[in-house]
Amino acid sequence: MPSKSTATHYGNAAVTIHWLTAILIIALIGSGFNAGDAENAAAKAAFLRVHIPLGVTVLVLTVVRILWWFFADKKPDPLPMPVWQDRMARAVHLLFYIVILGMAASGVGMMVLSGAGPIIFGGSESALPDFWDFKPRFPHGIGGRLILALFVFHAGAALYHQFVKRDGLLGRMWFPRSKD
Ligand code: HEM
């Protein structure tokens, strides 16, 4: 079970971080918008008790991922595709990193400035602040919509490659089968 990537396949470490991050981002978008829309303080705090630890986990995974690519591994060769598609894919991947780091920074910023951590995790939800009183709330809301758009675009492009072009793109981002 190679942890590093080859010229044709992502390695186990990259595959694990990729799919774990994908699942956590879906959970973050769901819990984030539910927290943002919740009118009731107890419900908002309940969503945030899930959202915040997941957000911190994605931050750690993203830092590990950046260090992994920088110091330990090399991406597989790109599949043959028009230059504009390759450039677009690279731009979307870079934007993912920027938006994830920005979301984590603005999320931590909201918590530090509002001092809401002990309220959310300590159980006295009635004192929950209005996060819109703090500057990082605005970019966090924009970033939430941007990451949702990136996610739809990225997943749509992967499905197009897999099922329309049939170039086996998804198989590169999965664990090797025993015959490989
Ligand atoms: C790293 C990935 C993250 C993603 C993708 C994400 C996503 C979101 C989304 C989509 C919303 C709803 C925005 C809206 O309703 O306009 C939201 C709200 C929120 N997020 Fe995050 N978030 C992340 C990290 C964090 C972290 C690390 C923290 C705290 C340390 C955090 C704290 C919050 C808070 C407090 C709200 C609710 C604000 C409110 O109720 O008005 N988020 N998040």
Side-chain angles (χ1 to χ4, degrees):
M1 294 275 276
S3 62
K4 291 199 183 181
S5 306
T6 65
T8 56
H9 272 79
Y10 286 91
N12 287 341
V15 171
T16 305
I17 293 177
H18 175 270
W19 291 109
L20 206 54
T21 305
I23 293 167
L24 292 175
I25 295 276
I26 294 172
L28 276 164
I29 291 173
S31 58
F33 281 124
N34 273 296
D37 290 347
E39 310 242 321
N40 166 298
K44 186 185 283 279
F47 283 117
L48 289 175
R49 278 195 287 274
V50 175
H51 186 77
I52 292 169
L54 296 187
V56 173
T57 307
V58 165
L59 170 63
V60 172
L61 278 174
T62 303
V63 171
V64 168
R65 180 185 241 198
I66 291 170
L67 294 175
W68 177 257
W69 286 124
F70 216 77
F71 294 111
D73 203 359
K74 184 176 172 298
K75 296 207 173 164
D77 297 334
L79 283 177
M81 65 177 87
V83 176
W84 69 268
Q85 276 184 17
D86 186 54
R87 288 211 181 121
M88 193 106 134
R90 284 171 202 270
V92 168
H93 299 161
L94 180 66
L95 266 178
F96 260 122
Y97 284 104
I98 294 171
V99 176
I100 289 174
L101 294 177
M103 290 303 279
S106 54
V108 170
M110 270 192 282
M111 300 313 296
V112 171
L113 293 174
S114 68
I119 299 171
I120 293 167
F121 293 99
S124 50
E125 292 97 7
S126 54
L128 206 61
D130 180 353
F131 290 103
W132 286 102
D133 291 340
F134 305 94
K135 287 220 165 75
R137 178 63 179 87
F138 182 71
H140 204 77
I142 302 280
R145 282 147 185 88
L146 195 56
I147 205 162
L148 179 57
L150 286 173
F151 196 95
V152 170
F153 188 81
H154 176 75
L159 294 176
Y160 167 77
H161 275 275
Q162 183 70 17
F163 296 111
V164 180
K165 292 190 76 183
R166 296 176 181 273
D167 57 10
L169 182 91
L170 273 183
R172 283 155 57 93
M173 188 49 96
W174 194 246
F175 304 100
R177 282 173 294 172
S178 48
K179 71 176 180 56
D180 289 342

